[in-house]
Amino acid sequence: MYEHNQPVVVEELELDDPKENEVLVRTAASGVCHSDLSVVTGTIYYDAAVALGHEGAGVIEHVGRNVTGFQPGDTVILSFVSYCGNCRMCQMERVCLCQTYDVPRGFLLDGTYRLHNSSGDGILQMARIATMSEYMVVPEQNLVKIDPHYSLEKAALVGCGVTTGVGAVLNTAKVEPGSTVAVIGTGGVGLNAIQGAVLAQAERIIAVDIAEKKLNFAKNFGATDVVNAAETDPVEAVRELTDGLGVDYAFEVIGNPKTIVQAYDMVRPAGSAVIVGIAHHASEFSIPAQRFVSSEKRLIGSFYGSCQPRVDMPKLLNLYTEGKLKLDELISRHYRLEQINEAFADMEAGENARGVIVF
Ligand code: APR
Ligand code: ZN
Ligand code: ZN
């Protein structure tokens, strides 16, 4: 991505060898997630130029000095957070909330580039990985080793969408059996929140989207009711479906202040609104302060499904093996890397559950 809000460019880059504690990975597949598009639009801000992609899987080609636990030939999912291992959040096993995460953005951990273009300019890597590249040099800690028998295009989706969506329900909200749940935005991540709600044995799962095609996907993933927010007020519709009370849990999986407030409005007193979507970095939302107290509603952020990548990702793949988690059905279309702009256009048009770039 050389310029915000312009088509992205596919070109050959120079890639340095892995340094200490870094690994060279040959990418097998990369999901196309809305967060990638959000980098292009500046919603998630990176300086240009940046190599995109944060949902991927591949095979290790080469390891740098002092890499322990990985060797060439290992199959891995890429996690999109790096962590220090020492801070209070890391000590609490909340590595995705590491206090050192996200500064500086897009450089490797030593603050330098591994990618360079033909003019010699450094290219940042989204989330220090850049899964929309044939090869990546990444920190060892961003790797999750998986059993080699898994299809890597399916495993790639676990790198963001599946873990983020399922984790929001099971880890962040800890939805109880019998609960009523609404999911606003049933794209690649939201469909996984629906799957999470199925796994949690929620009784009602209400899918809210503005695209009829997405609502059909939602039914296939376990939604018991659907609401087309382009046609009706979703807050009223959800209230009607819950005898006027509101749902126990609402998940916002778009990243829009308006739908965040809708999520809050559609939960019952003492219910939880869980915000998964990543809104523009400068956007804000507001809720009535007095009512916040008197309704005892909870408003919770959920980042990366509150996951521990090396614990949760293999577990999710195991659920897939047991037939309890749908991954095949998530992939609507395969793309070649050269088709990335088409993949983004399809995402904006709401064509796919998930699109996947295969290398
Ligand atoms: N009301 C209801 N649904 C909406 C609305 C709206 N106002 N606006 C958009 N949507 C729906 C779209 O129709 C689409 O189905 O939200 C869905 C978003 O899905 P995707 O584009 O596939 O995005 P996804 O990859 O699932 O990411 C969703 O999670 O990780 C974050 O940055 C990511 O904020 C993004 C969110
Ligand atoms: Zn993502
Ligand atoms: Zn830390």
Side-chain angles (χ1 to χ4, degrees):
M1 192 275 295
Y2 273 104
E3 211 178 327
H4 290 108
N5 294 304
Q6 292 299 316
V8 301
V9 178
V10 179
E11 64 176 2
E12 293 276 338
L13 298 172
E14 293 295 319
L15 180 59
D16 296 343
D17 287 334
K19 293 191 184 173
E20 188 166 6
N21 298 121
E22 294 175 357
V23 173
L24 173 67
V25 178
R26 179 164 44 83
T27 317
S30 174
V32 182
C33 174
H34 210 107
S35 295
D36 299 304
L37 186 56
S38 291
V39 173
V40 178
T41 60
T43 292
I44 296 175
Y45 190 82
Y46 278 85
D47 284 330
V50 56
L52 299 173
H54 65 285
E55 181 179 274
V59 181
I60 292 179
E61 288 258 316
H62 182 59
V63 299
R65 275 186 301 118
N66 277 336
V67 168
T68 52
F70 294 96
Q71 53 190 38
D74 285 350
T75 51
V76 289
I77 294 176
L78 283 291
S79 141
F80 64 77
V81 295
S82 319
Y83 52 91
C84 73
N86 299 317
C87 74
R88 184 120 194 277
M89 297 315 297
C90 284
Q91 299 285 310
M92 291 165 80
E93 299 190 327
R94 298 299 309 275
V95 295
C96 295
L97 301 179
C98 174
Q99 287 166 258
T100 68
Y101 180 63
D102 100 350
V103 263
R105 309 201 73 164
F107 293 101
L108 271 285
L109 289 162
D110 64 359
T112 63
Y113 300 99
R114 295 295 167 275
L115 287 169
H116 312 271
N117 66 12
S118 55
S119 325
D121 301 324
I123 309 286
L124 298 169
Q125 291 168 241
M126 181 175 177
R128 297 197 179 98
I129 52 181
T131 57
M132 292 175 177
S133 321
E134 293 168 311
Y135 289 90
M136 307 170 264
V137 167
V138 303
E140 165 183 28
Q141 55 179 261
N142 287 60
L143 299 176
V144 178
K145 201 194 298 196
I146 59 168
D147 196 292
H149 80 268
Y150 289 110
S151 143
L152 290 179
E153 63 173 69
K154 315 276 160 52
L157 305 187
V158 176
C160 175
V162 177
T163 299
T164 302
V166 175
V169 177
L170 299 184
N171 297 336
T172 311
K174 300 187 171 70
V175 168
E176 305 88 355
S179 300
T180 55
V181 171
V183 176
I184 314 178
T186 58
V189 184
L191 290 172
N192 284 296
I194 291 176
Q195 302 215 70
V198 172
L199 287 166
Q201 298 173 274
E203 189 183 288
R204 282 304 266 296
I205 305 171
I206 306 168
V208 181
D209 206 289
I210 49 175
E212 210 51 53
K213 197 168 181 179
K214 296 299 179 90
L215 294 172
N216 286 329
F217 289 136
K219 282 185 211 157
N220 294 336
F221 277 81
T224 57
D225 305 84
V226 297
V227 171
N228 188 331
E231 290 165 2
T232 60
D233 176 346
V235 176
E236 276 174 27
V238 165
R239 286 236 180 87
E240 270 169 35
L241 288 166
T242 50
D243 299 328
L245 181 68
V247 282
D248 301 328
Y249 296 93
F251 294 86
E252 197 274 1
V253 202
I254 301 163
N256 176 339
K258 190 175 132 204
T259 45
I260 289 172
V261 174
Q262 286 175 353
Y264 178 77
D265 285 342
M266 65 174 66
V267 298
R268 64 158 166 80
S272 301
V274 183
I275 314 310
V276 180
I278 300 179
H280 189 278
H281 60 87
S283 69
E284 297 183 346
F285 61 88
S286 68
I287 51 169
Q290 193 176 93
R291 195 74 193 112
F292 179 60
V293 174
S294 60
S295 69
E296 285 200 14
K297 289 188 186 183
R298 289 155 199 242
L299 187 57
I300 311 171
S302 177
F303 179 64
Y304 214 164
S306 307
C307 79
Q308 290 190 61
R310 290 181 181 171
V311 177
D312 291 307
M313 292 183 182
K315 267 194 202 165
L316 287 164
L317 285 173
N318 202 35
L319 286 171
Y320 168 67
T321 305
E322 291 171 356
K324 293 178 185 158
L325 188 76
K326 293 179 165 61
L327 295 183
D328 304 350
E329 296 82 349
L330 278 173
I331 302 177
S332 304
R333 190 173 159 193
H334 295 92
Y335 297 89
R336 283 174 290 107
L337 185 58
E338 293 70 29
Q339 296 171 296
I340 177 61
N341 290 299
E342 194 182 335
F344 282 144
D346 287 347
M347 164 165 279
E348 285 189 292
E351 289 294 326
N352 301 331
R354 222 11 155 213
V356 180
I357 297 169
V358 283
F359 292 90

